[in-house]
Amino acid sequence: MKIIPTQLDGVRIVESESLGDHRGVFTRWFCEEELSEILGHRRIIQINRSRTETQGAVRGLHFQRPPHAEMKLIRCIRGSVWDVALDLRTGSPTFLKWHSETLTESDNKMAVIPEGFAHGFQVLAPSSELLYLHTAAYQPEAEGGIRFNDPLVGINWPMEVGDLSDRDQSHALMEDSSFDGVSL
């Protein structure tokens, strides 16, 4: 596995190598030992899968507040998505900066999004699926969200945004709320 840093401290892209022959391919998607520098003391607690049918749909931007903050390791297992990590860490030099990465079922890339970041994605191909590995269990009372089109963030989604959940459309804009970051 090759670990690639991004311009946002803690956000990384992991590239896995595939081995193939006439029968097909083999790819290691997770290895605690190889990912130890990223995981540190964390353990994978929960694994989730999401499927989004509609091209152009956006999910997110979601995060969990401490003490239930989580690291997410995300792979596209079908289709293609434009994946976004948004820095929400109070005092961070990259506060409200974001990193995007296209993830596809065939590129063998995994996005690593640490605690203190929100995560969202736009579906680039119909019926796209993501596999999520989480370092904390989901806690509804700790859930937070940033609106996909918040002008203070300025995410330039690659396609016209469509098919949003009621919840994702209803997140308050940061300038209209008291949100000032996530303290870890």
Side-chain angles (χ1 to χ4, degrees), residues 129-178:
E129 296 183 29
L130 295 180
L131 181 71
Y132 293 80
L133 287 72
H134 299 261
T135 61
Y138 173 69
Q139 300 293 326
E141 70 278 4
E143 184 178 56
I146 303 297
R147 195 175 316 166
F148 75 98
N149 61 350
D150 195 303
L152 291 179
V153 176
I155 295 174
N156 301 313
W157 299 97
M159 304 175 73
E160 184 176 335
V161 173
D163 201 10
L164 292 157
S165 71
D166 291 341
R167 180 185 73 165
D168 287 346
Q169 290 181 64
S170 66
H171 295 305
L173 295 174
M174 284 190 273
E175 64 185 13
D176 298 336
S177 70
S178 60

Side-chain angles (χ1 to χ4, degrees), residues 2 12 15 31 40 45 59-60 69 72 78 88 127 133 146 150 155 157 164 177:
K2 181 178 178 184
R12 296 178 183 92
E15 292 181 349
C31 176
I45 302 297
R59 289 187 183 247
K72 295 178 182 178
R78 181 176 180 198
L88 299 177
S127 300
L133 287 72
I146 303 297
D150 195 303
I155 295 174
W157 299 97
L164 292 157
S177 70

Side-chain angles (χ1 to χ4, degrees), residues 1-3 14-16 26-40 42 44 73 75 110 112 133:
M1 294 182 165
K2 181 178 178 184
I3 300 170
V14 177
E15 292 181 349
S16 297
F26 172 86
T27 308
R28 183 180 318 207
W29 278 4
F30 179 82
C31 176
E32 186 176 46
E33 184 177 316
E34 287 188 63
L35 296 173
S36 63
E37 79 174 68
I38 291 173
L39 291 171
R42 303 173 191 92
I44 300 303
L73 291 79
R75 284 193 183 271
M110 176 172 62
V112 177
L133 287 72

Side-chain angles (χ1 to χ4, degrees), residues 83-95:
D83 204 71
V84 176
L86 170 64
D87 189 350
L88 299 177
R89 299 170 297 174
T90 303
S92 169
T94 56
F95 180 66

Side-chain angles (χ1 to χ4, degrees), residues 26-130:
F26 172 86
T27 308
R28 183 180 318 207
W29 278 4
F30 179 82
C31 176
E32 186 176 46
E33 184 177 316
E34 287 188 63
L35 296 173
S36 63
E37 79 174 68
I38 291 173
L39 291 171
H41 65 281
R42 303 173 191 92
R43 294 179 20 241
I44 300 303
I45 302 297
Q46 187 170 303
I47 299 174
N48 299 316
R49 173 186 148 228
S50 76
R51 181 176 62 226
T52 308
E53 298 298 334
T54 310
Q55 185 175 353
V58 169
R59 289 187 183 247
L61 302 154
H62 305 141
F63 64 97
Q64 287 201 156
R65 292 179 178 87
H68 305 289
E70 63 185 347
M71 174 182 274
K72 295 178 182 178
L73 291 79
I74 303 159
R75 284 193 183 271
C76 182
I77 59 174
R78 181 176 180 198
S80 177
V81 302
W82 193 71
D83 204 71
V84 176
L86 170 64
D87 189 350
L88 299 177
R89 299 170 297 174
T90 303
S92 169
T94 56
F95 180 66
L96 298 185
K97 302 290 186 210
W98 50 273
H99 174 80
S100 64
E101 193 79 30
T102 299
L103 303 176
T104 72
E105 64 185 286
S106 60
D107 67 10
N108 292 324
K109 287 195 242 176
M110 176 172 62
V112 177
I113 302 175
E115 300 86 348
F117 283 77
H119 170 254
F121 64 91
Q122 185 170 46
V123 175
L124 302 177
S127 300
S128 289
E129 296 183 29
L130 295 180

